[in-house]
Amino acid sequence: MTFAAERPTGTKREIYRELGLQARGLFEGERDAIANAANLAALIFGGLDDLNWAGFYFLKDGQLVLGPFQGKPACVRIEMGKGVCGTAAAKRETLIVADVHEFPGHIACDVASNSEIVVPLIRDGRVIGVLDIDSPTRGRFDGEDRVGLESLAALWLAASAP
Ligand code: SME
């Protein structure tokens, strides 16, 4: 297996297309959910600019529990409905927060984070976790990031065993 050494370039759409191709390559022949999550976190963190954290939380016994990630150590457990992650999971929809300091109940894991996007992971109608991406830049994430990250999350869901 070979890995791209350089960050993809181009428009956001082109970058997400390239990351999708690389994710497919990384997941090929591998069904282990944790291994695939670890590689996707690394792919996103290395492939998108201006991030300070990228990773997963998985729903266990009603709490979101930290999974594979890239970035600084983070809070381990998040209650459903709490913070950006818990709110996205409870609402079952992607949340884009342009300024986390204005989000009531935001959980500050890394003081460098100023904006955030959280994509819920939904399998067979149930939330099984979230994909959480943080940036030091306010307003870093837009609708194209939503489409791109939702499609990377969908690739992970399709590739990985429950
Ligand atoms: N900020 C998140 C917590 C997770 S860290 O960003 C990694 C939240 O409010 O849910």
Side-chain angles (χ1 to χ4, degrees):
M1 193 185 284
T2 55
F3 303 98
E6 287 177 21
R7 177 173 283 175
T9 54
T11 64
K12 265 193 190 184
R13 194 176 296 199
E14 288 164 346
I15 289 168
Y16 278 111
R17 188 176 172 279
E18 176 59 29
L19 292 179
L21 292 172
Q22 292 187 19
R24 283 175 196 275
L26 288 168
F27 299 158
E28 200 178 320
E30 181 53 67
R31 297 277 293 153
D32 188 277
I34 297 297
N36 286 340
N39 263 338
L40 185 55
L43 186 71
I44 290 169
F45 195 70
L48 296 180
D49 62 10
D50 206 16
L51 305 184
N52 62 294
W53 203 89
F56 287 78
Y57 282 86
F58 293 115
L59 189 60
K60 293 179 184 173
D61 299 327
Q63 290 182 318
L64 292 167
V65 181
L66 184 64
F69 69 94
Q70 299 270 310
K72 289 193 178 160
C75 34
V76 175
R77 291 176 186 272
I78 298 173
E79 298 289 339
M80 279 295 266
K82 302 286 183 195
V84 185
C85 290
T87 304
K91 287 190 166 175
R92 306 163 60 88
E93 64 188 36
T94 298
L95 278 191
I96 295 175
V97 179
D99 184 344
V100 294
H101 307 289
E102 291 180 4
F103 187 92
H106 167 251
I107 300 162
C109 292
D110 182 345
V111 292
S113 296
N114 282 315
S115 65
E116 184 163 356
I117 180 168
V118 179
V119 178
L121 305 167
I122 300 175
R123 191 193 290 288
D124 299 331
R126 287 188 185 164
V127 174
I128 61 160
V130 299
L131 173 62
D132 177 21
I133 316 289
D134 290 24
S135 169
T137 299
R138 283 176 174 75
R140 160 70 179 79
F141 304 106
D142 61 16
E144 283 192 314
D145 293 293
R146 175 198 301 261
V147 170
L149 291 167
E150 284 179 350
S151 91
L152 289 173
L155 285 175
W156 176 82
L157 279 161
S160 307

